[in-house]
Amino acid sequence: MSRRATLFLPWSLALGLMLQDLAATLKPLVAPLVVVLLGIAMARTHWPTFLAVLRRPWLPLAMVVVSMVVVPAMAAPVLRHLPIAPGLALALALMACLPPLTSMPAVAGLLGLDRAIALFLALVGTALTPLTAPPLALLLFGMDLKISFPAFALRLGGVVLGGTALAVLLRWGVLRRAPHAAPRLDGLAVVTLMVVAVPIMDGVLAHLVNEPWRVAGFVFWGFVATFAFIAVTTLLFWPFGAQRACTASYGAGSRNNALLLAVLPATADPDYFLFIAAIQFPIYLTPTLLQPMYHWLIARRSGQPTASVNETP
């Protein structure tokens, strides 16, 4: 499953759509499953490499700034002139201000990207969100995001501590005794990602039945924004190497849109909540679409045959 992750992930959306009762039942498990994904990603990250990233953090910090500050500043004037509903434009704008998905390090490893940098982007980007997203949302889009920094930090701390504890258990209890089990942990990450997709699809089927063209439009613009963010970030970081550029671009395209659900005001446009459901299609389909391109770019830049890049690190 780890070697064919991009074949399995899109089907998890179909499972969520078909099993709506199960989707509603599994909703409370989303947060614990995110901790599991982070723990697996941390266990599979080469810790000396991650410490090296922490000692010289300037490039990954630049990736965070570009993704969460420069990209929204570039996107804001474009979104104002697009022929789309104001609620959708706002959702796309807020998407540009958000950090990468917490599951990004796990997926990045499956795509052959830099696990250490991916982990840095997910953790640091999420930690900086209360400091960057509210002022940008107010300055660029006139929306007040009342994010409580202490509450947010406490929630983030719980996720990180839980993931770290699980990572220590996996590394010392599994990988140290059976190093060959590493691909099985990647397979477990794929299974976890598939399970997470089921509760995320809760209620989406009703939207598809009642407003199929509207949902299709939201999905379409979600793909457009995702690949626009990916293209811009890839070009900006290409001089630093293909793998780094692809890692930064995947982080810029896979945003944690659900992060704002708890802090959006009651007066927020309902289209934003529809967008949260619609953007799951790009999130789960993008790895499948990008994997051949990432492998080709990394192999071409490194001068290696593509087949050698396809192996999961």
Side-chain angles (χ1 to χ4, degrees), residues 44-304:
R44 289 287 285 120
T45 299
H46 188 238
W47 288 10
T49 304
F50 183 64
L51 291 176
V53 171
L54 293 180
R55 285 193 292 267
R56 302 183 63 181
W58 309 117
L59 180 59
L61 274 176
M63 294 176 181
V64 173
V65 172
V66 166
S67 175
M68 296 175 58
V69 178
V70 176
V71 167
M74 296 172 62
V78 176
L79 291 170
R80 291 191 187 99
H81 295 91
L82 288 179
I84 57 178
L88 176 57
L90 177 62
L92 293 170
L94 290 177
M95 171 183 170
C97 301
L98 295 173
L101 289 165
T102 312
S103 61
M104 179 208 169
V107 181
L110 299 172
L111 294 177
L113 305 180
D114 192 309
R115 294 178 187 265
I117 290 180
L119 183 59
F120 183 97
L121 297 181
L123 294 180
V124 175
T126 304
L128 291 178
T129 299
L131 302 177
T132 59
L136 280 172
L138 188 62
L139 177 66
L140 298 175
F141 318 113
M143 186 174 188
D144 186 11
L145 294 179
K146 298 178 180 178
I147 298 179
S148 169
F149 185 79
F152 193 91
L154 186 62
R155 179 182 174 188
L156 173 63
V159 172
V160 174
L161 288 175
T164 303
L166 178 59
V168 170
L169 288 174
L170 291 174
R171 285 189 70 88
W172 291 92
V174 178
L175 295 180
R176 189 180 181 186
R177 299 179 180 180
H180 61 277
R184 296 182 183 178
L185 288 184
D186 291 334
L188 180 60
V190 176
V191 174
T192 307
L193 281 165
M194 293 181 69
V195 176
V196 168
V198 175
I200 288 176
M201 287 291 102
D202 181 33
V204 177
L205 184 61
H207 284 296
L208 282 172
V209 172
N210 297 325
E211 305 175 287
W213 292 109
R214 185 173 174 78
V215 174
F218 275 54
V219 172
F220 170 77
W221 285 108
F223 271 111
V224 170
T226 296
F227 281 99
F229 298 164
I230 287 172
V232 169
T233 312
T234 301
L235 291 173
L236 288 175
F237 288 99
W238 187 252
F240 299 97
Q243 190 185 45
R244 291 173 174 174
C246 291
T247 304
S249 70
Y250 181 67
S254 59
R255 306 294 186 116
N256 195 350
N257 292 272
L259 199 62
L260 296 182
L261 285 179
V263 298
L264 281 174
T267 55
D269 195 310
D271 282 351
Y272 188 81
F273 300 98
L274 176 59
F275 178 77
I276 295 295
I279 197 63
Q280 302 308 316
F281 290 90
I283 285 174
Y284 272 81
L285 292 173
T286 295
T288 303
L289 299 173
L290 287 180
Q291 188 183 46
M293 184 188 74
Y294 279 162
H295 286 168
W296 181 78
L297 288 173
I298 295 171
R300 184 179 181 184
R301 187 69 180 267
S302 63
Q304 299 174 1

Side-chain angles (χ1 to χ4, degrees), residues 14-34:
L15 284 175
L17 289 173
M18 291 186 297
L19 305 173
Q20 287 290 283
D21 290 341
L22 181 62
T25 303
L26 293 180
K27 214 159 191 180
L29 294 180
V30 172
L33 289 172
V34 167

